[in-house]
Amino acid sequence: MTEARMPLWEVFIRSRNGLSHKHVGSLHAADAEMALQAARDVYTRRGEGLSIWVVPSNAITASDPSEKEMLFEPTASKIYRHPTFYEIPDEVGHM
Amino acid sequence: MYTQALNARDAVAQPLSAEETAKSAAFQARVDDEQRIEPNDWMPEAYRRTLVRQISQHAHSEIVGMLPEGNWITRAPSLKRKAALLAKVQDEGGHGLYLYAAAETLGVSREEVVDQLLSGKAKYSSIFNYPTLTWADIGAIGWLVDGAAIMNQIPLCRCSYGPYARAMIRICKEESFHQRQGYEIMLTLSAGTAEQKALAQDALNRWWWPCLMMFGPPDGESQHSDASTRWKIKRFSNDQLRQKFVDATVPQAHFLGLTPPDPELAFDEASGHWRFGEIDWEEFRQVLAGNGPCNRDRLRVRRKAHADGAWVREAALAFAEKRRARKADAEKQAA
């Protein structure tokens, strides 16, 4: 008999107050509660976090790597979006 | 430890189509440029296959590696040593889980890779087929086996495959505690009674050569290193890493007042390296072939643990399903 597969979860941890949750890895668990407990054991054995999110992996929609250029290349040519594009005379001081 | 899978011979490569050849070239250019390859990126089939084998065997090594040390948890000589050993063995379990997760990003399921371990199809590091006969072995494992693992694993933090490299960064951070706790056990034994010091020397005698074998066959014989090096999975050769390990470890042994069991061991002033004697590669082949002192026992224990845990996995899934159904019913009635 083949066993049913355990659902996959993605784990996000907030390292310190004030920083956003960051993806740290994934794990298998039957439900959200077990996923949280397992995430605590697997990813926070040395005080790495103050808060954990677990998200079912199949709930994540990801961009397609083959569309990388179409999605991100246009921003490379828009240098006027950066503050250094604009010249301000030194006399004005720090801005 | 644990790059032994990179020494295995791969199936004969299929000829590539023109499109695949172009993609392969673009892929290699990204690797040469030190870009990281991520799960959904295009990659050559052989790269994927090599990584699945390497990462899953690395994971198996961590999991089977819990057994020799787990053997001493209930018999640790003090509460401090017991707590540290428990934490270390728990870390090994965690390392196995990070690595299984990294392997799964390549399109294999957890169940598949675990089955490959339990059926004996997949290998794990040769080192875990040696027994832990005395408490000093726990010291020797932390110091030598984890020391060798660190040599092997630090370059893997820069491996071209993103999820593997990231898992290795976490693992390397934790591994340093393992080596230090092992060396501290050796220090304590070496500074103890004559009998305690003899235990430490005996452990070094038994673990020294198997640890040198962990790095895999000599460079001339390693079948798979070329592609792995080109793909920047492996960044140093077996012999280079082995030499680094010997150079780092011999002075540590001398500090303990212990002697590695190699009459040919000598410092070569000209090169600045410790030269060591011939490794018994026949022993290595026998251990890999399943004939080491503990191969059968390790697999028997893993299979039993997996089978004994089946009802827990089933119950957890059934419980989750029951709660889902009840919640759905309650929502329907409320509507």
Side-chain angles (χ1 to χ4, degrees):
Chain A
M1 188 193 83
T2 45
E3 280 184 35
R5 290 187 175 185
M6 281 278 166
L8 186 65
W9 302 76
E10 299 302 321
V11 181
F12 299 80
I13 289 178
R14 186 208 297 283
S15 56
R16 285 193 304 276
N17 272 334
L19 292 184
S20 51
H21 286 75
K22 190 175 167 226
H23 184 244
V24 293
S26 49
L27 51 79
H28 291 269
D31 58 25
E33 204 178 316
M34 283 186 71
L36 268 182
Q37 283 186 7
R40 172 201 172 267
D41 290 344
V42 177
Y43 291 105
T44 66
R45 286 193 304 283
R46 286 176 176 76
E48 289 92 336
L50 297 174
S51 161
I52 304 174
W53 289 350
V54 289
V55 179
S57 300
N58 59 17
I60 290 179
T61 307
S63 66
D64 182 344
S66 67
E67 291 175 359
K68 195 164 53 186
E69 288 190 3
M70 187 184 76
L71 287 172
F72 306 114
E73 185 52 36
T75 63
S77 59
K78 294 179 176 56
I79 51 173
Y80 47 85
R81 284 185 169 160
H82 297 278
T84 46
F85 181 74
Y86 302 93
E87 292 205 15
I88 305 288
D90 286 347
E91 301 87 82
V92 178
H94 178 72
M95 183 179 280
Chain B
M1 307 195 168
Y2 308 160
T3 44
Q4 285 174 0
L6 293 177
N7 301 314
R9 190 195 292 273
D10 204 359
V12 180
Q14 300 293 318
L16 299 179
S17 70
E19 193 200 343
E20 281 173 328
T21 308
K23 280 182 171 173
S24 278
F27 171 85
Q28 188 61 47
R30 287 188 60 197
V31 170
D32 292 341
D33 189 34
E34 298 288 341
Q35 292 182 30
R36 291 286 175 270
I37 307 301
E38 295 296 338
N40 294 328
D41 293 344
W42 186 89
M43 60 186 83
E45 258 324 293
Y47 177 83
R48 183 187 301 275
R49 227 175 15 243
T50 301
L51 276 172
V52 167
R53 186 175 56 212
Q54 163 59 27
I55 301 173
S56 61
Q57 294 191 20
H58 193 158
H60 300 330
S61 301
E62 301 282 358
I63 298 297
V64 177
M66 296 166 82
L67 299 176
E69 290 178 294
N71 184 34
W72 280 89
I73 290 174
T74 57
R75 290 175 287 166
S78 68
L79 190 57
K80 173 190 149 189
R81 297 293 187 203
K82 183 187 256 187
L85 183 57
L86 203 53
K88 178 181 190 295
V89 173
Q90 193 192 14
D91 273 355
E92 309 295 1
H95 297 175
L97 296 179
Y98 309 152
L99 289 163
Y100 280 133
E104 288 172 73
T105 63
L106 291 158
V108 283
S109 71
R110 176 75 58 95
E111 289 79 1
E112 261 172 86
V113 289
V114 170
D115 271 353
Q116 287 170 356
L117 170 66
L118 299 179
S119 70
K121 188 172 166 241
K123 301 273 183 259
Y124 52 86
S125 179
S126 55
I127 195 74
F128 300 116
N129 292 309
Y130 291 86
T132 42
L133 303 178
T134 74
W135 171 250
D137 289 13
I138 301 307
I141 289 182
W143 169 38
L144 299 171
V145 175
D146 288 86
I150 292 171
M151 288 290 168
N152 224 318
Q153 292 179 152
I154 284 184
L156 289 174
C157 295
R158 293 186 295 127
C159 151
S160 60
Y161 188 57
Y164 192 27
R166 291 192 286 273
M168 290 319 305
I169 290 170
R170 285 190 71 88
I171 290 174
C172 284
K173 270 192 209 161
E174 300 181 349
E175 208 76 70
S176 163
F177 137 59
H178 299 177
Q179 193 186 16
R180 291 169 67 110
Q181 69 89 35
Y183 194 70
E184 200 201 70
I185 291 173
M186 295 302 272
L187 268 172
T188 308
L189 288 171
S190 302
T193 63
E195 203 183 348
Q196 286 170 325
K197 190 166 180 182
L199 278 183
Q201 180 64 54
D202 169 62
L204 173 58
N205 291 349
R206 283 180 292 108
W207 290 94
W208 177 257
W209 291 109
C211 281
L212 297 195
M213 294 174 198
M214 279 172 68
F215 295 94
D219 293 348
E221 288 172 32
S222 176
Q223 318 268 11
H224 214 253
S225 285
D226 288 352
S228 303
T229 305
R230 187 157 38 83
W231 287 326
K232 298 192 194 282
I233 297 172
K234 191 168 178 162
R235 291 183 179 258
F236 295 96
S237 76
N238 295 351
D239 285 337
Q240 282 172 323
L241 289 169
R242 188 165 16 244
Q243 185 64 58
K244 264 175 106 154
F245 173 74
V246 171
D247 289 342
T249 310
V250 171
Q252 294 166 354
H254 291 162
F255 184 83
L256 294 170
L258 303 178
T259 315
D262 178 359
E264 289 176 52
L265 193 67
F267 190 68
D268 176 26
E269 293 281 353
S271 65
H273 291 302
W274 284 90
R275 297 295 171 211
F276 49 94
E278 193 63 34
I279 294 170
D280 179 2
W281 291 113
E282 181 52 27
E283 176 181 326
F284 178 68
R285 274 186 284 275
Q286 286 297 328
V287 175
L288 279 192
N291 303 319
C294 300
N295 294 58
R296 289 173 194 80
D297 191 52
R298 298 288 184 241
L299 273 188
R300 183 184 59 74
V301 172
R302 276 315 310 155
R303 283 184 190 129
K304 182 173 185 309
H306 191 73
D308 288 353
W311 73 269
V312 180
R313 296 189 293 275
E314 265 170 50
L317 283 170
F319 182 64
E321 185 48 43
K322 187 173 82 180
R323 287 218 293 194
R324 221 180 344 259
R326 278 194 187 155
K327 201 174 159 211
D329 277 353
E331 277 166 8
K332 219 188 296 171
Q333 284 182 358

